[in-house]
Amino acid sequence: MDKPVPPGLGGNFREQWAVQRRVIGALLMREMLTRYGRQNIGFLWLFIEPTIVTLLVAGIWTARGLNQFSGIPIVAFAITGYSAIQLWRNMSRRCINAIEPNQALLQHRPVKMLDIYLARMFLEIAGTTTSFVVLSVVFSLFSEQISPPEDILKVAFAWFLLAWFSMGLSITLGALSELSSLVEKFWPPAIYILYPLSGAMFLVSGLPHGMHEIVLYIPLVHANEMLRDGFFGSHFVAQYDLSYLIAWCMGLSIIGLGISRLTVEHRLS
């Protein structure tokens, strides 16, 4: 007589998917309680924090009169740019060295290393997306400085691709950090280098012509250009290659999952 298969280690796809959902859901709740606790505003800080930071950036840019140099709505420029920064920055930072403090959870057979990464990334996506949507809606309704998105489907698809890229990047960095401690030291300064190069603070059409081909090698620039094209594309000429961005998303996802598998084998050896 065959022995029963432990939960999460066999069964059909539907059973496996049910176990996966429960595991990630439990990890999400644990992460929220660990990070934000039950006191004061608790998990509300998940999207209040990025909202406050984005508002400060938009306020500073407006106070400096940057909106006087072009017809581009500066508040929309700040919201789209800094929200995008927070997405890939926070997700990557949360995945680096994420396994060490959660190593005891891996003693439970249904819990995998990837589940820990997914729980942390979903939490960041939820907070940043909520902040992005709330800011866009509030300013569109109660402020003359920003109009509703010109193409909301393009905005949603660009945000999805940005989240996908950020997930692939975060899994790759998280898995690499388990193999080498240099990742933890290398990535923080790399973030500050990527800030001005990611397209969050400029439009490709506003750069000198010789810089166009150079910055378009950076996939984040394509995501930001597409996001702003959906928001206020009539105010500028967007330059992005959708196939190039999707290729990067797929490539990072495959590389990240491959390195994660190597990391598991390294831990077991």
Side-chain angles (χ1 to χ4, degrees):
M1 183 175 180
D2 294 336
K3 294 182 180 180
V5 180
L9 300 179
N12 57 35
F13 175 79
R14 182 177 297 179
E15 293 171 348
Q16 289 287 330
W17 175 238
V19 171
Q20 187 81 7
R21 289 202 316 268
R22 290 198 296 271
V23 168
I24 294 177
L27 290 173
L28 268 171
M29 293 301 298
R30 180 181 183 275
E31 186 70 21
M32 288 175 63
L33 292 175
T34 302
R35 195 184 306 181
Y36 302 105
R38 300 176 184 271
Q39 305 298 322
N40 299 320
I41 59 175
F43 72 92
L44 290 176
W45 191 250
L46 178 66
F47 56 87
I48 290 177
E49 180 184 12
T51 298
I52 292 173
V53 175
T54 305
L55 283 174
L56 285 173
V57 172
I60 292 172
W61 288 5
T62 303
R64 294 181 62 184
L66 297 180
N67 56 327
Q68 299 176 4
F69 297 102
S70 70
I72 295 173
I74 196 65
V75 174
F77 189 86
I79 290 174
T80 52
Y82 202 75
S83 295
I85 285 178
Q86 289 183 314
L87 192 61
W88 60 263
R89 181 197 66 183
N90 292 350
M91 286 172 64
S92 61
R93 289 172 62 183
R94 291 294 181 184
C95 284
I96 290 177
N97 289 337
I99 305 303
E100 189 65 30
N102 295 285
Q103 193 163 0
L105 295 174
L106 297 178
Q107 301 302 318
H108 302 280
R109 301 184 73 177
V111 180
K112 308 300 183 206
M113 188 172 74
L114 184 62
D115 297 328
I116 296 174
Y117 290 146
L118 289 174
R120 292 194 163 202
M121 290 187 296
F122 287 159
L123 196 58
E124 294 301 332
I125 291 173
T128 310
T129 303
T130 302
S131 168
F132 176 59
V133 171
V134 169
L135 283 173
S136 301
V137 171
V138 169
F139 273 97
S140 297
L141 293 177
F142 303 106
S143 174
E144 297 179 355
Q145 300 186 49
I146 178 174
S147 301
E150 297 177 4
D151 189 340
I152 195 168
L153 291 179
K154 183 176 289 186
V155 171
F157 188 48
W159 190 258
F160 165 76
L161 291 176
L162 186 62
W164 183 10
F165 176 88
S166 303
M167 290 179 72
L169 176 67
S170 301
I171 294 173
T172 301
L173 291 172
L176 285 173
S177 69
E178 297 301 316
L179 300 175
S180 173
S181 60
L182 291 176
V183 177
E184 185 180 13
K185 297 180 175 66
F186 156 78
W187 186 239
I191 287 176
Y192 289 103
I193 296 174
L194 274 177
Y195 276 171
L197 298 177
S198 66
M201 300 180 182
F202 63 84
L203 297 173
V204 175
S205 59
L207 297 176
H209 187 71
M211 293 289 294
H212 290 193
E213 291 187 4
I214 297 175
V215 298
L216 286 175
Y217 280 111
I218 305 171
L220 284 169
V221 173
H222 295 260
N224 279 288
E225 287 282 303
M226 184 179 179
L227 185 65
R228 286 171 171 152
D229 188 27
F231 240 94
F232 47 87
S234 62
H235 293 272
F236 76 108
V237 179
Q239 299 185 40
Y240 60 90
D241 187 337
L242 189 57
S243 59
Y244 181 76
L245 178 57
I246 292 176
W248 264 93
C249 293
M250 293 180 64
L252 279 175
S253 299
I254 293 170
I255 292 171
L257 292 173
I259 298 176
S260 296
R261 187 177 182 86
L262 289 176
T263 304
V264 172
E265 294 175 354
H266 176 75
R267 281 179 165 272
L268 294 176
S269 61

